[in-house]
Amino acid sequence: MLYWFFKLVLIGPVLRVLFRPYAEGVENVPTHGPAILASNHLSFSDSIFLPLMSSRRITFPAKSDYFTQPGLKGRLKAAFFRGTGQIPIDRSGGAASQVAMDAGLAVLRRGELFCIYPEGTRSPDGRLYKGKTGIARMALTAGVPVIPVAMIDTDKAQPTGQIIPNVMQVGMKFGTPMDFSEYEDRADDHEVLRHITDEIMAALRELSGQEYVDEYAATVKEQIAAAAENFIAAAKAETANVQAKASDFVANAKAESANVGANVQAKASDFVASAKAEGDRAQARAEEFIQAARAEVDQRRRRRADAQAGDDSRETDDSPTVDGRTRDDAADVAPDSSGTGSDADER
């Protein structure tokens, strides 16, 4: 009931208006009875657009993770996937593969259409990859025809990882039903299963026009993921090396700066010491000059004093006596020590 509500009322009309999906070869889909639709897988939206163009209900296998997420969001997501005709499948391999096979066979036994993506996962680059043999085993076990379906441009409308799709026209092509009843008793023959799967993939390549790669898409995805991890690891290692070099450079720069600072400080200290010594020598020379100048001044003063004293002595010798005569004149009139003189003779 929810499937038809989503398809005819809630989602289908909107998608038809926005994306204008077209379909070729719809008449190749049987109007009743079980059949397997084998489709290439380009986008998440393949499982949404494909049912729009079929008048019959189509059931798809989907990862069980889509149905087991917690909370309200998880419950809404699970309701959406169930409403679009998808059932949870564990893809871990081993016993889980048989459970997935049994789930598909149960749909076919009800006389319904079951769609399988033989590549097992979405194409990582738009090319068509090697198919897995589970589709051949299911076709032989159920004894139903396989109808190849090629999805067109859904990867452009909603590339991997993009939540909101690009509004553009998408399409699909339904090929002629493929009957493998001649191998119905050889469902356990791996060579037969491989042959049938390769025929289905060849039909898909013819319908889609995709380049075929004889390698599993899952393997290529693992290689891409490993390469990405190696790239990230190399980038982290390179970043660590750059950071280490940067740290070394900073440390060396600091050490060099410290050495330069120490050298500059030492040179400055030497310059200051030299300047002080030169100042002390200059001060000593200045003091010596001052002392010499003072000595010279004192010597000149003494010389002038001596000269002045000599001049004073000479002036004293030449000075007059009280009665206006010089000492020489007095000597001339002084009485002779013998008591004789010119005056005595005259008497």
Side-chain angles (χ1 to χ4, degrees):
M1 184 65 179
L2 189 60
Y3 175 90
W4 297 107
F5 175 73
F6 272 37
K7 179 177 178 178
L8 302 178
V9 179
L10 186 61
I11 298 177
V14 177
L15 296 181
R16 287 179 180 274
V17 171
L18 292 178
F19 296 93
R20 309 181 312 280
Y22 68 89
E24 298 178 6
V26 180
E27 66 277 4
N28 290 319
V29 180
T31 58
H32 62 279
I36 295 175
L37 301 180
S39 174
N40 60 338
H41 200 8
L42 297 176
S43 171
F44 169 83
S45 59
D46 292 338
S47 300
I48 299 174
F49 286 115
L50 181 53
L52 288 179
M53 310 311 293
S54 172
S55 59
R56 297 183 60 187
R57 176 190 173 101
I58 302 176
T59 300
F60 297 83
K63 289 191 298 185
S64 58
D65 296 346
Y66 293 153
F67 299 83
T68 57
Q69 296 179 8
L72 178 61
K73 183 178 179 180
R75 289 194 294 272
L76 291 175
K77 183 178 288 188
F80 171 79
F81 282 107
R82 289 191 178 93
T84 53
Q86 303 185 53
I87 58 176
I89 297 295
D90 186 349
R91 298 180 179 180
S92 59
S97 298
Q98 185 59 47
V99 173
M101 174 73 69
D102 293 341
L105 290 173
V107 172
L108 294 172
R109 291 191 185 103
R110 293 197 300 266
E112 299 176 5
L113 300 178
F114 189 67
C115 183
I116 297 178
Y117 300 114
E119 294 169 278
T121 184
R122 280 171 287 183
S123 171
D125 52 16
R127 296 184 294 178
L128 183 67
Y129 283 83
K130 186 176 182 178
K132 295 185 176 182
T133 58
I135 187 173
R137 186 186 302 277
M138 183 177 292
L140 295 183
T141 301
V144 298
V146 176
I147 303 167
V149 184
M151 302 302 297
I152 308 297
D153 291 336
T154 52
D155 55 332
K156 298 176 182 177
Q158 189 176 25
T160 300
Q162 182 173 317
I163 298 176
I164 300 177
N166 305 313
V167 177
M168 59 175 292
Q169 188 175 35
V170 299
M172 60 207 73
K173 298 178 181 180
F174 295 87
T176 304
M178 305 177 72
D179 180 14
F180 300 106
S181 57
E182 59 179 304
Y183 303 108
E184 61 181 352
D185 58 345
R186 302 179 65 180
D188 294 327
D189 189 328
H190 180 73
E191 291 186 2
V192 170
L193 298 179
R194 181 76 264 165
H195 171 72
I196 292 174
T197 303
D198 290 343
E199 282 195 21
I200 294 171
M201 300 311 294
L204 286 176
R205 179 178 58 187
E206 183 70 22
L207 283 173
S208 67
Q210 292 173 274
E211 176 186 351
Y212 180 73
V213 180
D214 192 23
E215 191 172 3
Y216 292 118
T219 302
V220 174
K221 283 187 174 182
E222 291 174 357
Q223 293 171 352
I224 293 174
E229 290 179 359
N230 292 336
F231 177 80
I232 292 173
K236 287 182 178 180
E238 183 64 23
T239 300
N241 290 335
V242 171
Q243 290 177 344
K245 290 180 180 179
S247 298
D248 292 342
F249 177 80
V250 171
N252 292 334
K254 287 181 178 179
E256 183 66 21
S257 177
N259 292 335
V260 171
N263 292 335
V264 170
Q265 186 174 3
K267 290 181 180 179
S269 298
D270 293 343
F271 178 78
V272 171
S274 299
K276 286 183 178 179
E278 186 62 27
D280 293 341
R281 288 193 292 271
Q283 185 175 0
R285 288 195 296 269
E287 290 178 355
E288 291 175 358
F289 178 78
I290 291 172
Q291 293 296 332
R294 286 177 178 175
E296 181 66 23
V297 170
D298 292 342
Q299 186 176 6
R300 288 182 181 181
R301 284 178 179 175
R302 286 194 298 271
R303 288 176 183 172
R304 283 197 299 270
D306 291 343
Q308 184 67 36
D311 292 341
D312 292 343
S313 177
R314 285 192 296 275
E315 289 177 359
T316 302
D317 292 340
D318 294 337
S319 62
T321 62
V322 176
D323 56 359
R325 292 178 297 177
T326 65
R327 289 188 177 85
D328 292 339
D329 292 340
D332 289 342
V333 297
D336 190 272
S337 61
S338 62
T340 64
S342 58
D343 290 340
D345 288 343
E346 289 181 357
R347 289 190 299 267

